[in-house]
Amino acid sequence: MYTFYNKIKQPTFPHPCVQRLLSLGSSSDVTFCADMSTKVAVVTGGNKGIGFAIVRALCKQYKGDVYLTARDVGRGQAAVESLASEGLKALFHQLDINDLNSISSSAAFFKEKYGGVDVLINNAGIAFKVADTTPFAIQAKVTLETNFFATRDMLTHFLPLIKAGGRVVNVSSFVSCRALSQCSPALQQRFRSEDITEGELVGLMERFVNEAQKGEHKEGGWPDTAYGVSKLGLTTLSMILARRLSKERPNDGILLNACCPGWVRTDMAGPKAPKSPDEGAETPVYLALLPPGATEPHGKFVSEKEVQPW
């Protein structure tokens, strides 16, 4: 468990950077200093597919630094270079959401350099192909480790860094709604409940994995889709955390939502999908760029820029 801070503490004056500047007696050498006023957007899993398209769109529209993060340094840097060839500037930072040390060191980096984060888009995720012969027990464990538990780790470490007016977007899927409808009535009631806690949700996700290991998930009231359950968990987590933000940081104007990018032509979804990655990026980017002062959507599941029933 973790708590939000009512306010990110700003450095007291004079900031070390200011002290350094004063000692120089000149403004000619300050590039090493973090500019706490510069806005920053961070996208996970940004080296290809929807994540890459999200970074591209932000580079065109966002007034601040845009970080493309990826677990593989070579692929991430190649993606940044590809954007540069289009005349777009993205910055790269290595971030593997399945590695807690990578998450914590990345959080420390953005806190030190920018004083926090203004936009966080949790896009990184995995899916087994429909025809994959990997046993369901393994698919369940691996899929939830990334799509739910690792993304939750990201939120645990980064939510306290989100600045006032910040935007958090968790890329979920329409299959989260489908999976919800296929759960037992008792499970549906808990996932839709406004009093479900993060701890209870984590317990339910662990229960699914455990029952899948034993081949008993159907008897437990779960659908036969690891990806669907992982995204069901992520969407529910988004709603829980949004309610917590409203309670613990009511005056900060932070908006947190889950969204469906649609069925997009990517390595994950295949070539038959109707949407291009750029089209898939539209809803996540829309939520990331909700204007200052906006109060909604918040704690919702959004598809095609519209709030969907849950």
Side-chain angles (χ1 to χ4, degrees), residues 11 26 31 55 76 104 129 132 157 159 163 177 180-181 183 208 224 228 234-235 241 246 289 294 309:
S26 167
T31 56
V55 173
S104 60
K129 302 290 186 183
D132 197 301
H157 285 78
L159 269 182
K163 298 180 183 179
C177 294
L180 176 62
S181 69
C183 285
F208 168 73
D224 203 27
L234 179 58
T235 300
L241 296 181
S246 296
L289 300 181

Side-chain angles (χ1 to χ4, degrees), residues 73-85:
V73 174
R75 292 176 182 174
Q77 291 177 335
V80 167
E81 292 169 5
S82 176
L83 290 168
S85 71

Side-chain angles (χ1 to χ4, degrees), residues 254-273:
I254 297 169
L255 300 179
L256 184 156
N257 293 283
C259 72
C260 172
W263 188 14
V264 179
R265 292 187 297 275
T266 63
D267 290 345
M268 182 184 294
K272 295 182 180 180

Side-chain angles (χ1 to χ4, degrees), residues 51-61 82-83 86 88 277-278:
F52 182 74
I54 289 171
V55 173
R56 177 192 280 125
L58 289 176
C59 286
K60 295 177 180 178
Q61 302 176 52
S82 176
L83 290 168
E86 300 178 32
L88 301 174
D278 288 333

Side-chain angles (χ1 to χ4, degrees), residues 241-258:
L241 296 181
R243 287 192 288 267
R244 187 182 299 167
L245 276 170
S246 296
K247 180 180 179 181
E248 299 187 9
R249 297 179 64 179
N251 300 317
D252 282 355
I254 297 169
L255 300 179
L256 184 156
N257 293 283

Side-chain angles (χ1 to χ4, degrees), residues 14-22 30 32-34:
H15 186 268
C17 287
V18 178
Q19 293 177 322
R20 172 65 173 155
L21 174 59
L22 293 174
V30 294
F32 68 94
C33 294

Side-chain angles (χ1 to χ4, degrees), residues 126 143-144 147-148 205 225-235:
I126 64 168
T143 303
L144 266 76
N147 295 356
F148 179 77
M205 294 293 102
T225 164
Y227 183 76
V229 172
S230 75
K231 293 300 189 179
L232 162 59
L234 179 58
T235 300

